[in-house]
Amino acid sequence: MTKYSTGAPATGITLGLDTFGDVLADDHGAPVSHAETIRGLVEHGVLADQVGLDFFGIGEHHTVDMPLSAPDVVLAAIAAKTSRIRLGSAVTVLSSDDPVRVFQRYSTLDALSHGRAEVILGRGSSTESFPLFGYDLADYDELFEEKVDLFSRLLEEKPVTWSGRMRPALTGQEVVPRTEAGPIPAWIGVGGSPESVLRTAKYGMSLMLAIIGGPSSRFRPFAELFREVQRRLDKPQRAIGIHSPGHVADTDEAAREELYPHYVEVLTRVSRQRGFRAPTRETFGQEVSEHGSWYVGSPETVARKIAATLKTLGASRFDLKYGLGGVPRGAVLRNIELYGTRVAPLVRELVAENIEEKEGSKS
């Protein structure tokens, strides 16, 4: 096993990796099978632990391009081979799932991992799970609101009495297994809706800002709103995290050239499905620039951009969505290694410098 030296974290920030389980390519450019994709995620999670990262998350999807319909099963396999890294969803589509089963699956993961489980809840920007499980998209908002309400009760780990329109009622029922070290950390993924920010604060969960296009700075009002509403509701101040896509290689040029053809292919396909403008070399350049929301480049370029975004939004966590569909396996493994051994230490160093400057200006 290769040994890595990453040093102890210098700050209270969390640096993680997220994946949607995109089907990657082998070293000859051919897509790998669904089975190999899933086994590869275990390898990625183990490597993320070895290189000193804080979190590894797998997002639920139900498509041929992203066949990760049971992330908690894969996370359990990673838990068995690691001892330190936190593991969780990135995201769980709660609207088309049952809150009781989600709680049970992740409390089971928490037991297997000795208290390292987390869950990020979302409404689902990809909606394939709704018809798959018999839900009506017309109920999109009501489903999530009701189910978040129930999930927040389940986190208390007490007998639950609850009723709603979308699910059978519970009357003083125990939901097991219980966790050993207290509630599972729960986040709500937000893509740019003030109502979602208010909901997150209301239920006392942490806020994960999914920033996948345009300047990250445009999310600053959402971060400020979240902090303000928590104060107004006299809630504990919960963490703010950022989830954004990217790719790290040894140089800026290598990272951009490795990612660009897959960026165009994947986003062109998604643009046809969702009705937005197809990507171009110009839009790619904007997104990977200093002010865009894609973190693509050498370790230093990516680290400086992450640190700047954390400072702008007052966030304490950054999860890099890695492994865009079609990227070769070798490039993905190199991305993970560089992110853990070179990007993360530099981000922590830059954040620590920002804290020292801020404290110095007050004295």
Side-chain angles (χ1 to χ4, degrees), residues 1-323:
M1 179 189 297
T2 304
K3 292 189 176 180
Y4 301 93
S5 177
T6 58
T11 68
I13 65 168
T14 297
L15 295 168
L17 284 171
D18 287 344
T19 175
F20 294 160
D22 304 60
V23 172
L24 303 177
D26 62 21
D27 292 334
H28 303 290
V32 302
S33 67
H34 286 180
E36 192 171 348
T37 295
I38 292 168
R39 289 192 293 268
L41 291 181
V42 178
E43 179 184 19
H44 300 169
V46 171
L47 179 57
D49 182 64
Q50 292 172 355
V51 298
L53 290 168
D54 303 312
F55 176 80
F56 187 81
I58 302 175
E60 174 192 351
H61 282 79
H62 301 265
T63 68
V64 172
D65 304 315
M66 293 178 281
L68 257 295
S69 54
D72 48 284
V73 177
V74 184
L75 293 167
I78 297 171
K81 295 188 174 186
T82 59
S83 60
R84 184 195 55 80
I85 195 166
R86 296 194 64 81
L87 302 164
S89 67
V91 61
T92 293
V93 186
L94 189 65
S95 304
S96 59
D97 209 329
D98 185 87
V100 172
R101 294 298 288 143
V102 172
F103 174 82
Q104 291 176 324
R105 295 197 302 266
Y106 280 89
S107 60
T108 299
L109 174 64
D110 199 64
L112 291 170
S113 64
H114 294 273
R116 291 184 282 138
E118 297 188 12
V119 62
I120 301 174
L121 308 173
R123 293 187 294 177
S125 59
S126 298
T127 57
E128 293 84 4
S129 61
F130 286 76
L132 187 63
F133 300 118
Y135 289 98
D136 191 338
L137 277 171
D139 297 325
Y140 186 79
D141 291 317
E142 188 176 0
L143 279 165
F144 190 66
E145 183 67 43
E146 267 203 10
K147 292 186 177 188
V148 169
D149 182 59
L150 175 53
F151 193 83
S152 70
R153 307 277 188 92
L154 295 167
L155 289 174
E156 297 173 4
E157 301 194 36
K158 300 175 182 177
V160 180
T161 297
W162 177 93
S163 64
R165 193 175 75 86
M166 300 293 181
R167 187 201 185 281
L170 298 172
T171 305
Q173 287 168 275
E174 295 273 6
V175 179
V176 296
R178 295 191 181 95
T179 60
E180 288 181 316
I184 299 167
W187 302 68
I188 293 181
V190 174
S193 162
E195 292 77 17
S196 295
V197 174
L198 295 172
R199 180 190 292 115
T200 306
K202 169 186 171 183
Y203 286 110
M205 298 185 190
S206 297
L207 178 70
M208 182 62 69
L209 295 170
I211 307 176
I212 59 175
S216 299
S217 58
R218 66 191 175 91
F219 280 77
R220 184 168 182 169
F222 296 107
E224 293 173 347
L225 175 64
F226 183 61
R227 287 187 281 265
E228 173 57 31
V229 173
Q230 289 178 112
R231 286 191 290 268
R232 196 185 311 151
L233 296 176
D234 197 26
K235 297 273 191 180
Q237 288 288 312
R238 299 297 184 190
I240 296 174
I242 301 158
H243 157 104
S244 288
H247 182 69
V248 188
D250 291 283
T251 67
D252 288 347
E253 182 180 6
R256 294 181 183 192
E257 291 307 309
E258 284 176 359
L259 187 66
Y260 178 69
H262 311 292
Y263 168 91
V264 170
E265 181 182 353
V266 171
L267 268 71
T268 296
R269 183 172 64 248
V270 174
S271 70
R272 292 183 187 130
Q273 296 167 348
R274 303 190 187 180
F276 60 80
R277 191 174 66 176
T280 65
R281 175 68 77 169
E282 182 181 5
T283 58
F284 178 73
Q286 292 170 349
E287 291 294 0
V288 304
S289 71
E290 180 183 356
H291 302 292
S293 62
W294 285 64
Y295 293 73
V296 180
S298 67
E300 181 170 302
T301 294
V302 172
R304 292 191 179 281
K305 188 170 177 178
I306 291 172
T309 301
L310 290 169
K311 180 179 180 181
T312 297
L313 299 183
S316 60
R317 172 166 170 170
F318 184 92
D319 291 345
L320 182 77
K321 193 280 173 188
Y322 77 97

Side-chain angles (χ1 to χ4, degrees), residues 304-357:
R304 292 191 179 281
K305 188 170 177 178
I306 291 172
T309 301
L310 290 169
K311 180 179 180 181
T312 297
L313 299 183
S316 60
R317 172 166 170 170
F318 184 92
D319 291 345
L320 182 77
K321 193 280 173 188
Y322 77 97
L324 194 64
V327 175
R329 174 181 175 274
V332 168
L333 293 174
R334 182 63 173 158
N335 172 98
I336 296 171
E337 181 180 6
L338 290 172
Y339 185 65
T341 60
R342 294 178 58 186
V343 174
L346 182 53
V347 172
R348 293 183 177 117
E349 181 182 323
L350 292 168
V351 170
E353 289 175 2
N354 287 335
I355 293 171
E356 289 174 3
E357 288 178 10

